Each structure stands twice: as C-alpha cells, then as structure tokens.
Amino acid sequence: TRVVEPPTADAPSRIITIYERGFPLGFRGSAEIPGTTDGVAYVYNHHRLVLKYHTDAAFDGARIVGFEVEPFSVKHAYAGAWPAAADTPGGKTPPLTTCSAAQPVSHDAAPQPVADAGEVVWSYDVQWEYSDVKWASRWDVYLYATDEQIHWFSMVNSLMIVLFLSGMVALIMARTLRRDLSRYNDAADAKEDAAEESGWKLVHGDVFRPPAHFGLLAVYVGTGAQVFGMTFVTMTFALLGFLSPANRGGLMTAMLLLYVFMGMAAGYIAARLYKMWRGTNWKGNTLKTATMYPGIVGLVFFVLNLFIWGQKSSGAVPFGTLFALLLLWFGISVPLVFAGSYFGYKRGVIEQPTRTNQIPRVIPEQPWYMSATFCTLVGGILPFGAVFIELFFILSSIWLHQ
C-alpha cells in the first residue's frame, strides 16, 4: 500500500510503501494534513493499481512480479446531473472532471469527507511500472517488515527465557553437585560412613532401567529423529538456494520426499533403543514406528479434507494425490523403516556405563508439588510463554494486519 507521509518542519511530504494485507478504508483529518479538518473522517474513494512487471532475456515477454495499491481521497466533480441509468449494469457514467487521462488523480485534490447525507463516487486507474525484482524473487516482499519493534521484542523475549532457564538449571545442578561432593569428602574421613550411599550414588543403579512403556519411547525417539532429519536437510537445501519460491510446491514436495527417505533412520534408531532395553517384539515395534505418526497425521488430514470436499472447494486434495501419498507411505517409507530396523538389530547391544540393580529402589512418598501433574503444568509455563509470544505476533500479522 502506498500512503502519503505528512510533511514536517525538516522534510516535505513523500509517498512511502507499506507491505501489508489490504489497504485502509480512509483516514481522520488533522492539522498536519493539508485540506482536511481536524476530527473529520475521510474515505479513500479512488484506488490506483500499480502493476509491476519485469523482463528477462531468458523469457519471451514480460511477467508481473508484484502490485501495489495507492488509495486517494477525492471529492469527484462531474458536469450536469448524475443519470439514473449510470447505477445499472452496463450504464454509462458521466465524465469526471477530477479524474481523466489528461488530469490524473493526485493527493493535492480536495478529499472526500464522510457525511450522513450525500454521494460518494468511486473510481480507479491502472498504472504499469517496470521493476528490477526478478521472477524468482517476487515473494521476497513478504519478508519486508512494517514494524521492526515487534521482531526485536520477540527476539529479546525468547533470549531472556532461554537465559533464565539455563541459569536456573545450572544453579540447581551446581548447588546439588557441590553439596554431594562435600558430603563425599566428609564421608571419606569416617570409615563408618564410607559404605553409606547418598546423593547421586543412590540412583546410579536405576538410571538405565527400562521404562514402563519402552517400546513407545523407542517409537517416539525414532520418529523424532526422522522429523529432525527432514527439517535439517530441508532448511539446508533452502539456505543453499536449491528450493526456490519460483517452483511452486517445491518446498512441500521436498519435505514429503525427505520424510519418506528418512524412514530408514527412524527404523534404525528405534531398533537400537528397543534392543538396548531387551525388547522381543521387534516386528511390532518396527510396524508402530512406520505407521503411528504418519497414521495420526494422515487421519486428521483426511477428515479435514472431507469437510473441504463437502463444501465443494477447489482447495480440496484430489483422490489421485491421496492415492499417491499412500503409495509413498506403504511403498517406500514402510519398507525403508523395516530396512533400517533390520540393520539396527544386526548391531550389538548398546553397553550401559553402569549396571542396573535387579531390585528397583523404592521411591518414598513425594510431596504434592513433586507430583507428575503439577510438575508437567509448571514445567510447561515458560516454554508456553515463549511460544505464545511468537504465535501472538504471527497471528496479529495475519489477522490484524500488524
């Protein structure tokens, strides 16, 4: 959107470009805007559509790489009376003396106030401008920020949360280790206390004990490694310029293919962990790794797509594309997960640095603030705060044009 910046004592009036979704409907007059009355609302009733094009030796012709809207508020004038037929479809409007090829609309014209009674004439014109922006860089306009203060606040907020969490964890670890080391040094001088274990030594025989649902944990770790590998390779290719915005849908296609081929890593890591915990049903665990996460995401996607189908929208994914995704899943991803699981089980068992006790240590009754529910809620406050701030700015930029 092109808007007029009012003149100041040091600089004259100038036109600035703001990149946002949509454009304002009007403005409120003030003493700084010439020709307006303070407190009176004015409507933008003329819009100049600026279409930007770019020519390239490798392409025959010109391609549109962007467009801008420059709103004007003009109190239009015309000769004679406004005919009633002009308001009907196909009706001919009288020529405007304030908007013509010989006299284009400018910001110096008298603005159109918003009153309870009266008429408002709407008009537009089209202007073509050559742009140096190349076809492959036409989407870079979305990277231009209108308010840098939001981004600075978001980065400072995330940085402070990370520093606070790191400092708190480091402080707790330092105090605990210092207290345990002091107790061990004092116990070394007294032989009667040397045989008694305390502090970190109390749990060294239970640290590597298999959890209650170690099969699901192995599936989650393997799936996480698959998603992480897909994200890392995709971001690397995007930074190197292999995934250009000029290729529409290239990013999504690359992510799907990388996720499919990363199935071998998921199967390998899940099998290594499952074997470390002495699991026996390796086929069932591998099948869960290959189907659990894609099955949940695919089911949610299919249900949402049904609603889009019901509305007869063109944005619905066609049946052929869904069938191709199923072929990628069961034809490539699942076999790769089983292949990775095979190689993972062929490897030796991961040796643990300490021996696990045969009898689990009895955990004493904990206070209420050490319960799993309370620790989960309190432990998620700070990460939620960081994510909430980020989502607030993202949603504000999308829905509130900020």
Side-chain angles (χ1 to χ4, degrees):
T1 305
R2 293 184 176 182
V3 296
V4 179
E5 188 178 54
T8 60
D10 300 330
S13 175
R14 62 191 181 99
I15 298 177
I16 59 176
T17 303
I18 300 177
Y19 295 95
E20 59 183 358
R21 296 182 62 187
F23 50 85
L25 297 178
F27 65 96
R28 188 172 296 275
S30 65
E32 299 178 352
I33 304 178
T36 63
T37 304
D38 191 10
V40 176
Y42 296 87
V43 64
Y44 287 127
N45 58 331
H46 180 86
H47 303 94
R48 176 166 296 162
L49 307 179
V50 182
L51 303 179
K52 297 188 174 184
Y53 65 94
H54 180 79
T55 57
D56 196 344
F59 181 79
D60 186 13
R63 290 182 286 194
I64 297 177
V65 294
F67 71 93
E68 297 173 358
V69 178
E70 185 176 356
F72 295 84
S73 181
V74 182
K75 189 173 180 59
H76 283 302
Y78 50 87
W82 189 270
D87 298 329
T88 60
K92 186 176 182 180
T93 60
L96 302 176
T97 59
T98 53
C99 178
S100 62
Q103 184 180 354
V105 176
S106 65
H107 292 285
D108 297 331
Q112 173 67 55
V114 178
D116 296 335
E119 63 178 11
V120 177
V121 179
W122 300 87
S123 60
Y124 74 94
D125 63 72
V126 180
Q127 178 178 335
W128 294 86
E129 285 187 3
Y130 179 80
S131 176
D132 294 329
V133 178
K134 296 183 179 180
W135 172 256
S137 304
R138 66 190 187 280
W139 297 109
D140 293 349
V141 67
Y142 288 99
L143 303 177
Y144 299 153
T146 58
D147 189 0
E148 297 180 356
Q149 183 179 0
I150 292 179
H151 299 278
W152 279 111
F153 179 77
S154 176
M155 288 187 292
V156 171
N157 173 77
S158 302
L159 181 62
M160 293 302 296
I161 289 179
V162 170
L163 292 179
F164 178 75
L165 285 175
S166 303
M168 185 171 60
V169 172
L171 180 62
I172 294 174
M173 294 290 293
R175 293 186 61 181
T176 304
L177 289 175
R178 188 183 300 110
R179 184 171 60 250
D180 291 344
L181 290 176
S182 178
R183 186 183 296 114
Y184 298 153
N185 293 332
D186 294 339
D189 300 333
K191 294 183 180 180
E192 62 275 8
D193 296 336
E196 182 180 356
E197 294 181 349
S198 61
W200 292 97
K201 291 184 178 181
L202 287 173
V203 296
H204 80 279
D206 297 278
V207 171
F208 294 97
R209 185 178 304 280
H213 304 284
F214 61 88
L216 288 178
L217 180 59
V219 171
Y220 295 156
V221 174
T223 304
Q226 184 179 9
V227 175
F228 176 78
M230 174 200 68
T231 306
F232 179 78
V233 176
T234 302
M235 294 182 64
T236 303
F237 283 175
L239 291 175
L240 294 177
F242 293 107
L243 298 176
S244 174
N247 185 11
R248 187 175 183 181
L251 180 63
M252 183 61 64
T253 303
M255 292 179 65
L256 287 175
L257 292 178
L258 286 173
Y259 179 82
V260 168
F261 290 115
M262 286 293 173
M264 179 172 286
Y268 179 83
I269 295 176
R272 294 278 286 167
L273 290 177
Y274 193 69
K275 188 176 182 179
M276 182 185 71
W277 289 320
R278 303 297 191 272
T280 57
N281 187 15
W282 68 272
K283 294 181 180 179
N285 187 77
T286 305
L287 187 62
K288 290 179 183 178
T289 306
T291 59
M292 179 174 289
Y293 180 76
I296 295 175
V297 175
L299 179 61
V300 174
F301 176 79
F302 181 74
V303 171
L304 294 177
N305 196 58
L306 286 179
F307 287 102
I308 302 177
W309 268 345
Q311 297 297 325
K312 299 180 179 179
S313 172
S314 60
V317 178
F319 178 78
T321 304
L322 294 177
F323 184 73
L325 292 176
L326 287 177
L327 286 180
L328 286 176
W329 182 13
F330 291 102
I332 301 179
S333 179
V334 174
L336 285 178
V337 173
F338 273 90
S341 180
Y342 171 79
F343 289 110
Y345 277 105
K346 293 287 288 183
R347 298 290 301 274
V349 180
I350 299 177
E351 296 294 334
Q352 300 170 355
T354 60
R355 187 176 60 182
T356 303
N357 296 333
Q358 295 294 332
I359 302 176
R361 181 177 292 275
V362 178
I363 301 177
E365 185 178 355
Q366 301 294 319
W368 63 271
Y369 55 84
M370 292 296 293
S371 62
T373 303
F374 183 80
C375 292
T376 302
L377 294 176
V378 174
I381 288 179
L382 291 176
F384 172 77
V387 175
F388 175 77
I389 294 296
E390 300 290 344
L391 288 178
F392 172 77
F393 291 128
I394 293 175
L395 296 179
S396 297
S397 64
I398 294 176
W399 300 111
L400 301 181
H401 312 298
Q402 297 179 358

